[in-house]
Amino acid sequence: MSKIPAYAAASAKAPLAPFSIERREPGPRDVLIDILYCGVCHSDIHQARDEWGGSIFPMVPGHEIVGRVAAVGAQVGKYKVGDTVGVGCFVDSCRQCEQCRAGEEQYCSEGMTGTYNSRERADGAPTYGGYASRITVDEDYVLRIPDGIPLERAAPLLCAGITTYSPLRHYGLKAGDKLAVVGLGGLGHMAVKFGVAMGAEVTVLSTSESKRQDALALGAHAFAATRDKDTFKRLAGSFDFIIDSVSAPHDYNAYLSLLRTDGTMVLLGVPEEPAPVAAFSLIMQRRKLGGSLIGGIRETQEMLDFCAEHGIASDVEVIDIRQINEAYERMLKGDVHYRFVIDNGTLSAAA
């Protein structure tokens, strides 16, 4: 074990502050990673403030991790010292269930082991995330960052990227389809980029007219403000797919009305309260309502390679770790375009 600097929440009411954690020395199949950048996900706030319940404190958040391999175990064959790698939302799973064998570890029947706010399968110790200088991870849960993606802009791909890429692939988006993206935040801006790269005609739907220019700059073909009630009448039956990235309360039925016959709406956001869905919203045009959770290791690597091939990366604002509490407050106000990323090199000065 070695002690390293980190930032942690001591309790649900405490701001994040300097903290020391222990990382295990690499076992035979482990990769030790010097963390260069870590993205800041909205779920970090939910968990650090125990808004979903069951949080483990002290907590070191962070599951959008990019770094370089510092050491490898004797049996590691996929990576070598100096490789640029990433770690996403989970660091282990049962490896035996149907979902794990299919490469869908995020749906592990025993529950995936989260990169943070979870417990190690071997000894029950809490897992600590990427707001730290180093992390040790089994090689099977490490990802290769392709050349050509700026490392700070690669970090959010490990959550925001795969969260939007996976449903577009799984539900079969194809060139020429009409895709609506609801919400233009950390998830929504990636959905726009992927949709355009996959050949879809992309429309951004947002409550904020101020997002129009941003949407078009990201490559969207059209924009519609949903505070205008005429929008839902004008666009009724227009889309093959809707990616809904919004976690604020909103009317799913109104958005379902925008789907064509056999259209699909996929939920990625998690509103605090359940939202009613009327049967007729689905029945009348044989519409489908689905959900999606991140992606497995294989698909996440596919997504990273797709990004390198198509010149896709997240739009980010890089921050000093000492700005993390301010960043949380700004995120709650929607004041970020479109993802904060921590420069982990600032941890030494903050300790």
Side-chain angles (χ1 to χ4, degrees):
M1 291 284 190
S2 58
K3 283 202 168 186
I4 62 162
Y7 251 56
S11 71
K13 301 296 184 182
L16 276 77
F19 188 67
S20 290
I21 61 172
E22 289 187 338
R23 294 292 197 197
R24 69 178 185 271
E25 297 301 325
R29 294 178 52 79
D30 283 338
V31 177
L32 175 63
I33 302 165
D34 285 331
I35 302 175
L36 301 175
Y37 296 100
C38 183
V40 181
C41 179
H42 202 106
S43 63
D44 295 349
I45 301 176
H46 289 306
Q47 295 181 83
R49 298 183 177 181
D50 199 21
E51 292 173 352
W52 292 343
S55 290
I56 303 168
F57 295 102
M59 182 190 299
V60 177
H63 58 209
E64 298 178 339
I65 298 167
V66 169
R68 286 201 175 89
V69 176
V72 297
Q75 297 176 18
V76 171
K78 299 178 183 177
Y79 304 102
K80 64 183 185 303
V81 173
D83 284 350
T84 306
V85 296
V87 178
C89 297
F90 56 92
V91 291
D92 205 353
S93 62
C94 83
R95 311 180 190 220
Q96 301 299 320
C97 70
E98 179 182 355
Q99 291 85 350
C100 285
R101 293 197 306 272
E104 300 279 5
E105 301 93 342
Q106 75 275 29
Y107 301 124
C108 175
S109 62
E110 294 185 8
M112 62 182 177
T113 300
T115 303
Y116 72 91
N117 196 33
S118 188
R119 293 199 179 272
E120 298 281 3
R121 295 181 117 75
D123 59 10
T127 58
Y128 295 127
Y131 296 11
S133 63
R134 284 185 152 187
I135 191 169
T136 306
V137 181
D138 183 293
E139 69 168 335
D140 288 342
Y141 297 81
V142 176
L143 297 142
R144 187 177 303 279
I145 305 299
D147 293 338
I149 306 177
L151 298 187
E152 71 279 9
R153 299 182 64 195
L157 299 177
L158 280 306
C159 177
I162 187 58
T163 296
T164 47
Y165 179 90
S166 183
L168 294 176
R169 285 300 195 208
H170 177 77
Y171 288 99
L173 182 79
K174 61 185 184 297
D177 282 343
K178 292 189 174 182
L179 168 68
V181 176
V182 183
L184 194 64
L187 295 179
H189 96 287
M190 291 306 309
V192 170
K193 293 187 180 194
F194 286 134
V196 171
M198 292 176 187
E201 181 182 320
V202 180
T203 297
V204 170
L205 304 176
S206 173
T207 59
S208 177
E209 176 65 35
S210 64
K211 296 287 185 73
R212 180 182 295 273
Q213 292 306 314
D214 283 355
L216 300 177
L218 287 165
H221 302 90
F223 175 92
T226 54
R227 290 192 190 279
D228 182 350
K229 299 304 180 184
D230 288 339
T231 292
F232 290 94
K233 294 180 181 178
R234 177 171 57 85
L235 295 178
S238 293
F239 301 108
D240 301 289
F241 288 91
I242 297 174
I243 291 290
D244 185 344
S245 69
V246 174
S247 290
H250 57 295
D251 183 2
Y252 291 155
N253 301 289
Y255 289 92
L256 285 166
S257 74
L258 304 181
L259 289 172
R260 293 175 168 176
T261 303
D262 289 325
T264 301
M265 177 166 150
V266 185
L267 304 181
L268 304 181
V270 186
E272 292 183 8
E273 298 294 332
V277 176
F280 278 120
S281 296
L282 303 174
I283 289 171
M284 295 307 291
Q285 293 295 326
R286 202 166 55 197
R287 297 171 175 128
K288 298 178 286 292
L289 178 64
S292 185
L293 175 70
I294 52 175
I297 295 297
R298 182 177 60 213
E299 189 175 47
T300 304
Q301 189 64 62
E302 174 190 307
M303 178 272 306
L304 289 167
D305 295 339
F306 182 90
C307 287
E309 179 182 353
H310 292 272
I312 294 172
S314 298
D315 288 10
V316 305
E317 179 179 335
V318 179
I319 62 169
D320 186 302
I321 188 65
R322 290 168 290 193
Q323 297 173 287
I324 188 61
N325 293 300
E326 176 189 349
Y328 276 19
E329 295 307 315
R330 286 180 57 191
M331 285 175 66
L332 293 173
K333 298 174 183 176
D335 180 22
V336 54
H337 289 76
Y338 284 94
R339 205 69 154 186
F340 287 116
V341 172
I342 300 163
D343 176 354
N344 286 57
T346 61
L347 270 163
S348 57

